Amino acid sequence: MIPWEKIDTARIPGSDGELRLMRRGKEFSIMLGTNELMNSRLSGSEAALATLAAKQIEKVAKPVVLIGGLGMGFTLRAALAVLGSKAQILVSELVPTVVAWARGPMAQVFGESLDDPRVSIRETDVSEIIRAHQSAFDAILLDVDNGPEGLTRKSNDALYNATGLKLARMALRPGGALAVWSSGNNPAFTKRLRAAGFDVNEVNVRATGKGGGARHVIWIARKS
């Protein structure tokens, strides 16, 4: 078997954490400690984050969507595929090196998605964008941790607590959707979403997007 090769590392702003970009043949992996945050072979649930959210806003003629976390671009590419030509997609990525990886060693994985005229990239904390906007987005898609708790950095907890969810709801337009990706269930988070005033649907999705593989969870929370 081809061994894994470390391509690069990146410090996570505001923490002591370090991301590692690994490659094995044509396969890529982004690691944080012993946790694999994403793998280029497993894109199904990240793509579903976009397609499930897009279904909620399909009647919006010119949707404005915020994606928190660029990663390997699975969610972005899926959003581009299902949203119309008049959509605007803002991607917030905290770690500038991840954007450099997308344009460098992982350019083939990303294809032409970063150059799509519907896309803009902000190298900043997604919570800052949410906090600075009210009634601005038709959908907010969050895939910045392995679930609704701060893994990549502790301060990300503020995205998922009662205050963070209130801010996300304020940043959405009426009928907008907050979609959150997770590697597993979190009943307490479901309760917090409902307490924040969202209508909540919890969806189990296979990591591969097919019949096998690990089950991941996506929360679709609608603002009524």
Side-chain angles (χ1 to χ4, degrees):
M1 179 177 289
I2 302 173
W4 284 102
E5 172 191 6
K6 184 169 71 175
I7 302 300
D8 197 9
T9 61
R11 302 298 299 181
I12 301 172
S15 82
D16 295 328
E18 181 181 78
L19 300 178
R20 303 191 311 280
L21 177 63
M22 310 293 292
R23 180 172 61 195
R24 181 172 62 186
K26 295 183 178 181
E27 178 184 359
F28 289 91
S29 173
I30 295 180
M31 302 286 297
L32 175 65
T34 59
N35 293 297
E36 183 177 61
L37 299 182
M38 60 204 71
N39 185 292
S40 59
R41 293 188 302 104
L42 302 173
S43 61
S45 60
E46 287 87 351
L49 180 67
T51 55
L52 290 170
K55 186 70 175 176
Q56 304 298 313
I57 58 170
E58 59 185 352
K59 294 182 179 179
V60 179
K62 298 179 180 180
V64 180
V65 176
L66 171 62
I67 298 177
L70 176 61
M72 293 186 176
F74 302 136
T75 301
L76 171 61
R77 293 197 300 280
L80 288 170
V82 296
L83 295 173
S85 61
K86 296 181 180 180
Q88 297 178 45
I89 304 174
L90 173 59
V91 181
S92 175
E93 174 52 56
L94 178 67
V95 185
T97 304
V98 170
V99 181
W101 291 344
R103 298 191 181 278
M106 290 197 296
Q108 190 171 6
V109 175
F110 278 80
E112 299 178 354
S113 60
L114 296 183
D115 297 318
D116 191 295
R118 293 172 288 175
V119 176
S120 58
I121 307 290
R122 288 274 304 276
E123 295 179 0
T124 189
D125 187 340
V126 68
S127 66
E128 295 295 330
I129 296 177
I130 292 172
R131 199 174 294 120
H133 292 79
Q134 290 193 19
S135 300
F137 303 107
D138 296 293
I140 299 173
L141 285 55
L142 297 180
D143 184 11
V144 297
D145 291 289
N146 259 17
E149 56 185 23
L151 174 65
T152 55
R153 60 177 190 158
K154 188 63 178 174
S155 59
N156 280 358
D157 282 341
L159 282 169
Y160 315 111
N161 63 21
T163 300
L165 294 178
K166 179 181 178 181
L167 289 169
R169 192 173 186 277
M170 291 172 62
L172 288 168
R173 295 170 176 169
L178 170 66
V180 182
W181 184 96
S182 176
S183 61
N185 294 315
N186 190 317
F189 182 61
T190 303
K191 291 180 180 178
R192 287 201 300 276
L193 284 168
R194 292 196 173 112
F198 287 104
D199 297 325
V200 183
N201 185 23
E202 189 175 329
V203 184
N204 287 288
V205 181
R206 293 286 190 179
T208 60
K210 302 175 183 178
R215 290 185 181 274
H216 295 158
V217 177
I218 294 171
W219 285 271
I220 300 294
R222 288 288 304 273
K223 176 181 179 178
S224 56

